[in-house]
Amino acid sequence: MFSNHVSKQLSAYWNGELPSENTRRTAEHLIRCTRCRLAFEEIKLGAKLAQHLPLIAAPDSIWPKIETALLQQPDALPIDHPTRDARVGTPVGRASDRLPLARYLKPGLAFAAGLALLFLAGAFWLRLHRTEARPSWEVARLNGAPRINSNRIDDTGKLAVGQWLETDDTSRARIDIGKVGQVEVDPNTRVRLIATQPTEHRLELARGRMSARISAPPKLFFVNTPSAVAEDLGCAYTLEVDDAGNSLLRVTLGWVALQLKDRESLVPAGAACATRPGIGPGTPYFEDASELFRTALAKLDFEPNDTQWSKIPALDIVLHQARPRDTMTLWYLLSRVDQNDRGRVYARMVELVPPPDGVTRDGVLRLDQEMLKRWRDRIDSDSHSLPGGHARFSGNDSQRHQASSQPGVREIEIGKPMGKSKGLAPSFRGKS
Ligand SMILES: [Zn+2]
């Protein structure tokens, strides 16, 4: 699984220069390979540092000397033939845009400069991280005999960065993550603590099921799965991974983002989203949608070419079965179906939740981001995405408000009984 490291492609990946299939594979590899992820973090940090390095104008008098010295090198390039591509990575590329001389540098020199910069960035990174003691999280045994790095724990234990927590078919455990929240680990599950820092707490779920209740501000708690990363935007969810690396996210409160590089699904409470290796997150759907709707959506997301299961195309079934609340799902399909089908998705959405003023058919069909966002806001405010029954979790209000300031995330009321509307907005109850 780890044999094909992607370290050589990371610079191209960061610069968005890889073909899409390669991009996806690199993104997936980064989720599960610590070694490549560290290399990638250094590239990102190097690029960020380079952006913030002050540009100091050198006195004009030094350039002739440098040019002369370069031209005296046996294999120097003639000055009137600029190197075709002397740029190596973002840092040098940026600098070369501003310094005409850099256009004449030999590729080797530019490469060395790039390496030096990476080395500096690496040293800086190490200095940042070395001073921290190796942090750990508290683990409590709930049932059976959970193990940390193969050692059975008593009633409590500590999970340090890099260590695996494993449960067999009769054991369960709870992880307490300080002020961040709690994670319950179900039977037959393998989770690893990847990072815990003020800016990022990250678990890897290799197999099994876990439930998280997070009270930290959004975008601090992450769970890597084999086919996507779950990013907490406030609240509670369950995540499970099967042996094939497929995962299923079910959100009970708040919002969770599932991402794989450029593909992202924002999943509200009451909704679920599946992911598949090689594809990434599918389309989010409300769990109370009809079974036919959910089955057809899964076909559309993950097996679009399977025509055996039904004579009717999956998209037709999804559109036919959609209730007003399911417009959330159709909104994602707008940008995921091809041009020909987009008009049909649009037409069905207009019937269910009309777009706000100024959002036009033409704009939506050419995927105008501003219009899509405005329609999405209307859909979110129309379809109450809170689940029926009582909210299980009382969070800190100011933290919820932070959640609401995230793009695409609206304000959520916490700790109030939600009635028996099954989450449907009153205005839609009669129609669905
Ligand atoms: Zn690797």
Side-chain angles (χ1 to χ4, degrees):
M1 186 201 265
F2 293 88
S3 53
N4 298 315
H5 289 294
V6 294
S7 30
K8 285 181 187 153
Q9 308 186 359
L10 289 174
S11 177
Y13 173 76
W14 171 244
N15 288 306
E17 291 161 356
L18 291 180
S20 62
E21 174 55 26
N22 227 335
T23 293
R24 189 94 57 221
R25 238 180 297 138
T26 304
E28 281 183 11
H29 183 87
L30 285 177
I31 291 175
R32 57 177 204 266
C33 177
T34 307
R35 181 176 130 183
C36 289
R37 199 167 47 244
L38 283 179
F40 184 53
E41 291 302 320
E42 285 177 20
I43 286 176
K44 285 199 291 189
L45 186 68
K48 273 184 202 149
L49 279 179
Q51 280 172 11
H52 292 104
L53 286 178
L55 278 179
I56 299 166
D60 285 343
S61 57
I62 72 165
W63 296 122
K65 281 184 201 161
I66 295 176
E67 284 184 0
T68 311
L70 279 172
L71 284 172
Q72 278 166 357
Q73 304 243 339
D75 51 351
L77 291 156
I79 270 202
D80 54 349
H81 286 288
T83 313
R84 191 168 54 87
D85 189 2
R87 303 175 185 195
V88 177
T90 307
V92 175
R94 289 267 155 75
S96 70
D97 289 341
R98 296 175 213 172
L99 301 175
L101 184 83
R103 292 173 59 83
Y104 304 106
L105 286 180
K106 292 186 300 170
L109 261 170
F111 184 66
L115 271 187
L117 199 56
L118 271 183
F119 179 79
L120 271 177
F124 181 61
W125 187 88
L126 281 174
R127 214 168 61 95
L128 268 182
H129 292 252
R130 197 179 45 197
T131 48
E132 287 172 21
R134 203 180 178 201
S136 61
W137 292 349
E138 301 285 337
V139 176
R141 184 183 73 90
L142 297 178
N143 281 116
R147 289 167 184 270
I148 291 178
N149 267 20
S150 308
N151 301 315
R152 275 179 73 147
I153 61 168
D154 299 325
D155 282 343
T156 59
K158 282 196 182 300
L159 183 67
V161 171
Q163 290 186 321
W164 287 97
L165 169 64
E166 289 181 82
T167 53
D168 59 18
D169 51 7
T170 58
S171 52
R172 290 172 60 237
R174 189 185 66 228
I175 307 173
D176 287 303
I177 320 163
K179 291 177 185 157
V180 173
Q182 284 186 339
V183 170
E184 284 192 16
V185 178
D186 282 349
N188 294 316
T189 298
R190 263 167 70 77
V191 290
R192 181 163 63 130
L193 174 54
I194 289 183
T196 180
Q197 294 159 18
T199 53
E200 177 183 307
H201 305 275
R202 191 179 289 267
L203 274 178
E204 174 182 355
L205 176 63
R207 187 191 69 221
R209 186 168 65 185
M210 52 161 269
S211 311
R213 289 193 298 166
I214 302 302
S215 48
K219 292 176 173 286
L220 278 184
F221 181 73
F222 301 85
V223 182
N224 295 354
T225 76
S227 47
V229 176
E231 176 182 338
D232 172 79
L233 301 175
C235 299
Y237 62 92
T238 299
L239 190 57
E240 52 185 294
V241 172
D242 70 12
D243 289 339
N246 305 320
S247 50
L248 179 67
L249 166 77
R250 305 174 69 183
V251 180
T252 41
L253 207 59
W255 293 79
V256 176
L258 270 182
Q259 347 171 281
L260 187 69
K261 186 137 201 262
D262 51 344
R263 194 171 165 109
E264 180 177 68
S265 294
L266 267 182
V267 188
C273 187
T275 76
R276 292 284 180 277
I279 298 173
T283 311
Y285 57 90
F286 282 109
E287 293 197 86
D288 57 5
S290 77
E291 192 183 343
L292 200 50
F293 178 90
R294 288 178 282 132
T295 311
L297 185 66
K299 285 287 168 193
L300 207 54
D301 280 342
F302 303 123
E303 295 170 275
N305 300 319
D306 178 7
T307 49
Q308 296 296 307
W309 77 286
S310 160
K311 285 190 184 123
I312 305 170
L315 181 63
D316 290 14
I317 298 175
V318 167
L319 295 179
H320 178 262
Q321 291 279 308
R323 307 159 303 163
R325 196 178 193 219
D326 301 319
T327 318
M328 185 270 294
T329 300
L330 303 190
W331 184 89
Y332 280 96
L333 292 180
L334 278 176
S335 46
R336 293 180 181 187
V337 298
D338 63 30
Q339 189 80 39
N340 295 332
D341 289 331
R342 192 170 298 145
R344 296 169 56 221
V345 176
Y346 170 86
R348 182 64 177 139
M349 285 176 71
V350 169
E351 291 172 6
L352 297 169
V353 179
D357 289 343
V359 174
T360 64
R361 183 177 188 279
D362 278 356
V364 171
L365 293 195
R366 63 165 194 271
L367 300 179
D368 179 290
Q369 291 305 302
E370 184 55 35
M371 289 192 197
L372 288 178
K373 187 182 172 301
R374 288 183 55 209
W375 201 356
R376 171 76 200 233
D377 289 345
R378 161 73 59 90
I379 292 163
D380 285 344
S381 63
D382 272 14
S383 85
H384 265 280
S385 49
L386 289 162
H390 295 257
R392 288 194 296 130
F393 174 69
S394 296
N396 171 324
D397 267 352
S398 67
Q399 288 165 348
R400 289 318 114 195
H401 286 270
Q402 276 179 284
S404 69
S405 68
Q406 298 298 332
V409 177
R410 66 187 181 75
E411 194 168 320
I412 300 152
E413 285 184 290
I414 298 301
K416 288 189 180 174
M418 296 309 158
K420 292 180 180 172
S421 65
K422 285 196 173 176
L424 290 180
S427 53
F428 292 128
R429 247 181 274 165
K431 291 194 227 162
S432 59

